[in-house]
Amino acid sequence: MLLRIGTAALLLGLSVFAPAAWAQLAPSPDAPPVSTAPAAPPDETPMATFKQTVSLVDLFFTVKDKNGNLIPHLTKNECTFLEDKVPQTLKSFTAETDQPLTLGILLDTSGSQQRVLPLEQQAGSQFLEHVLRSKDEAFLVSFDVNVDLLQDFTNSPHLLARAMDKAEINTAGGNGTGIPGLGGGTIPTIGDPKGTLLYDAIDLAAREKLNQETGRKALIILTDGQDEGSRTKIGEAIAEAQKNNVIVYVILIADREMYWDQGEGYFGYSAAKRISDETGGRVIDVGNNGKKLEAAFQQIQDELRTQYLASYIPSNLKDDGSFRHIGVECKGDQGENLKVQVRKGYYAPAPGR
C-alpha cells in the first residue's frame, strides 16, 4: 500500500515539476555579452586527488542516578566514550531538548491484545497530544498477521488519534494473508488464527520509514512482546534499528490471565528487554493497568526530552561493515557511577559504500 501511494505521489511530483526542470530559460536583455573566445588550454600539470569519507557517530543517550532520576546537566568532562574499548575524542556534546523528534508508534492488534487495545488507544492518543511539538512528526503502524501503515508522518495528534481509534484486532481467521512490508508482498498465514509480526514491524519501520530521517528517532511499541510468524529474526530487527540509530521503547502490556485461561505460558518479557536494551531504550511492564500505562508514556516523554547528543569521528576508520561496541560511562558530582541508557553499538559502513 505505501509503496503504491509513494510511487503515485512521486509521479505526480514529476509531472508538476518536470516542465520547469526541462524548459530553456530565455536570456535576459540586460545580461552581459557571452564571450565566443576559445577556452584557455587546460593545465598540463597532473593533480592527484584523494577522497575519504568520514562519518560522525551520533549517540543519543540519557543518564540517571541510582534512584532512577534523570540527570539533565552533565558536561562532556563527566563522561567517557569508548568504541571497542578504545577511548574516543568528541567533536560535540550537547543536551538535547528542542531538537526535532521523529516517532513511530507500533500498535499490537493481534488476538492476544483484545482486552487491552482500548487502553492502548486511549493512553497512546494522550501521549501524542502531550509530546508532539510543531517541529516533531510521528507515524502509526499496526501489526498482527499484517503490518499496516495506519497514519503516515504527521505532526497532528488529531490525525494520529483518529487512526489509532480505527485500529482493530485482526487474526485473519487463520487463513488470511499477512503483509510483511509497509506496502509490498504477502505472507500466507495458515492454521490457527494466530500471528504477531512484531519483528517484521520493527524491521520495516526502521528500514522503510526512519532510514532517511535525521536527529532523534524512536519507536514506541505497545505489545505483549510475543512474536509469531515474522520472517525477520529478532537479531535482524535489532540490527536494522541500530543501523538507523533508532531507539526502541517497549511498553509491555499483556493480559496474562488470557494466556493462563488458554493453557499457554507467557514469554514476551525477555525478547522485549533485549530489543530495548540493545537500541538504547528500555522495556516498561505495565500489565493491563491503565494508570501504569499512562505513567510509562510519561516516563518515555521525560527521557526523550532529557537526552544528550555526543558525536565523534571513530578512531577506527575502516569501512568493513563490522559491528562496533559502544560504551559510555558518566560520573556524578561525588564521583559516583551513573546509569547510562545508550545503544550497545553500531555498524560501520560496508566496503564500497
Side-chain angles (χ1 to χ4, degrees):
M1 176 182 69
L2 178 61
L3 294 184
R4 286 199 293 270
I5 293 174
T7 302
L10 177 60
L11 291 175
L12 177 61
L14 289 175
S15 66
V16 172
F17 293 107
W22 292 337
Q24 297 296 318
L25 296 178
S28 167
D30 297 325
V34 178
S35 172
T36 58
D43 190 346
E44 300 294 334
T45 305
M47 293 183 63
T49 59
F50 300 92
K51 181 179 179 181
Q52 183 179 27
T53 302
V54 177
S55 299
L56 279 175
V57 176
D58 292 332
L59 297 178
F60 289 95
F61 62 99
T62 56
V63 183
K64 300 177 182 178
D65 63 19
K66 63 181 181 180
N67 297 317
N69 299 312
L70 289 164
I71 307 296
H73 302 301
L74 292 174
T75 66
K76 67 178 182 179
N77 295 328
E78 294 170 291
C79 297
T80 302
F81 298 83
L82 306 173
E83 182 178 300
D84 290 337
K85 300 183 179 180
V86 177
Q88 303 296 307
T89 301
L90 294 187
K91 301 292 290 185
S92 64
F93 180 95
T94 56
E96 292 294 339
T97 57
D98 294 324
Q99 188 181 48
L101 176 64
T102 304
L103 288 178
I105 308 297
L106 272 54
L107 187 64
D108 187 343
T109 48
S110 62
S112 62
Q113 300 300 90
Q114 181 76 54
R115 298 178 186 174
V116 295
L117 179 59
L119 291 176
E120 297 174 341
Q121 292 168 316
Q122 180 181 0
S125 296
Q126 292 175 351
F127 166 75
L128 291 167
E129 181 70 38
H130 293 149
V131 75
L132 286 184
R133 301 176 182 175
S134 60
K135 297 183 294 183
D136 302 331
E137 58 181 2
F139 64 92
L140 175 65
V141 166
S142 68
F143 61 95
D144 37 62
V145 295
N146 302 330
V147 178
D148 294 315
L149 181 66
L150 302 183
Q151 173 61 55
D152 208 343
F153 283 119
T154 180
N155 67 351
S156 168
H158 173 71
L159 290 178
L160 290 159
R162 186 170 66 179
M164 191 171 291
D165 287 342
K166 291 181 178 179
E168 296 179 347
I169 297 297
N170 180 25
T171 63
N175 293 302
T177 54
I179 301 176
L182 297 178
T186 59
I187 296 176
T189 306
I190 303 172
D192 294 336
K194 295 179 181 178
T196 311
L197 305 184
L198 170 60
Y199 305 154
D200 283 347
I202 296 171
D203 172 77
L204 290 161
R207 176 162 47 86
E208 293 191 7
K209 300 301 296 177
L210 294 172
N211 65 325
Q212 297 299 320
E213 301 296 315
T214 59
R216 296 185 297 167
K217 299 180 284 188
L219 290 177
I220 300 175
I221 308 174
L222 294 115
T223 181
D224 58 14
Q226 301 195 163
D227 180 280
E228 296 184 60
S230 284
R231 287 180 175 177
T232 307
K233 304 299 183 185
I234 185 172
E236 295 169 338
I238 291 170
E240 200 61 47
Q242 290 171 329
K243 289 175 183 177
N244 292 290
N245 202 3
V246 177
I247 301 169
V248 180
Y249 284 91
V250 181
I251 297 180
L252 214 58
I253 180 166
D255 185 4
R256 288 170 173 78
E257 290 183 5
M258 184 206 70
Y259 288 97
W260 305 128
D261 291 344
Q262 295 181 357
E264 300 178 359
Y266 174 74
F267 52 88
Y269 181 83
S270 60
K273 182 168 176 54
R274 178 182 171 189
I275 292 167
S276 56
D277 282 354
E278 294 191 23
T279 58
R282 64 190 181 96
V283 60
I284 307 175
D285 189 352
V286 301
N288 59 356
N289 186 303
K291 293 293 185 183
K292 289 183 178 180
L293 179 58
E294 293 176 7
F297 274 120
Q298 184 61 53
Q299 292 170 37
I300 293 173
Q301 178 179 345
D302 292 342
E303 290 183 13
L304 291 174
R305 294 300 182 191
T306 316
Q307 286 184 318
Y308 297 93
L309 170 60
S311 301
Y312 66 88
I313 296 175
S315 56
N316 182 358
L317 294 176
K318 294 180 181 179
D319 290 348
D320 55 9
S322 65
F323 185 78
R324 311 285 174 79
H325 293 86
I326 289 172
V328 181
E329 301 172 356
C330 296
K331 294 186 179 297
D333 294 337
Q334 307 301 319
E336 72 277 15
N337 290 324
L338 301 174
K339 182 179 179 180
V340 179
Q341 194 172 299
V342 66
R343 57 177 168 152
K344 301 301 182 186
Y346 74 99
Y347 285 86
R353 275 190 62 184

